[in-house]
Each structure stands twice: as C-alpha cells, then as structure tokens.
Amino acid sequence: MGRKDASAVVAPVDQYRKQIGKQDYKKTKSALKLERLKAEAKKSAPGIRDAFLVVVAILVFVLCVYAFFYLNLTTELDLDVDLD
C-alpha cells in the first residue's frame, strides 16, 4: 500500500492553481467578467484576421488577372491601329 507521507505532498502545479484561485476570489465579479470577455475577444480575433487576409488575397489575385488581360488586349488593339 501507499505511504501516509505520499498523500500529504501536494504537487507544485496544484499549489499554483490553488493560489490563482484564491486571487480570483479577491476580485469582484464585474472585473472577472471583463477579463473573461477580453480573453474571448482575443480568441476570436485571429479568425477575423485570417478571413480578412483570405479576402485580400483573392482580391489581389483577381486584380492581377484583370491587369494581365487588360495589358494583353490593349497591346493587340495598338497593333491593329498600326497596321491600318
């Protein structure tokens, strides 16, 4: 069977969590609510940033394709004018 001393020893991680929990009790509920909302906003922000970057990348691609075709068509029209 296990020793009596082994059950009395608390892991450092558990002690740290206990201290953090005690500190949270000292804060008011409104302060805790604000902290939770800030944390949720930070978690959702990268998703919005990634979506924005994807939209910008698609727009740049479309503009490049448009510029490619525009330049090809304008040079063909210029050659037709020179031949007349």
Side-chain angles (χ1 to χ4, degrees), residues 66-78:
Y66 177 79
F68 175 75
F69 285 118
Y70 177 77
L71 291 174
N72 279 342
L73 290 177
T74 55
T75 55
E76 288 178 10
L77 291 176
D78 290 340

Side-chain angles (χ1 to χ4, degrees), residues 3-18:
R3 296 184 189 176
K4 274 188 168 180
D5 297 337
S7 64
V9 175
V10 179
V13 173
D14 291 334
Q15 279 183 326
Y16 177 74
R17 289 180 182 161
K18 200 172 190 180

Side-chain angles (χ1 to χ4, degrees), residues 19-36:
Q19 288 173 353
I20 296 294
K22 287 179 182 178
Q23 289 173 6
D24 282 344
Y25 286 126
K26 293 177 184 176
K27 297 178 184 176
T28 63
K29 287 187 179 183
S30 59
L32 290 173
K33 190 174 185 180
L34 287 173
E35 285 185 22
R36 189 179 69 236

Side-chain angles (χ1 to χ4, degrees), residues 32-47:
L32 290 173
K33 190 174 185 180
L34 287 173
E35 285 185 22
R36 189 179 69 236
L37 290 174
K38 284 181 186 178
E40 289 176 3
K42 283 183 181 180
K43 287 180 183 177
S44 65

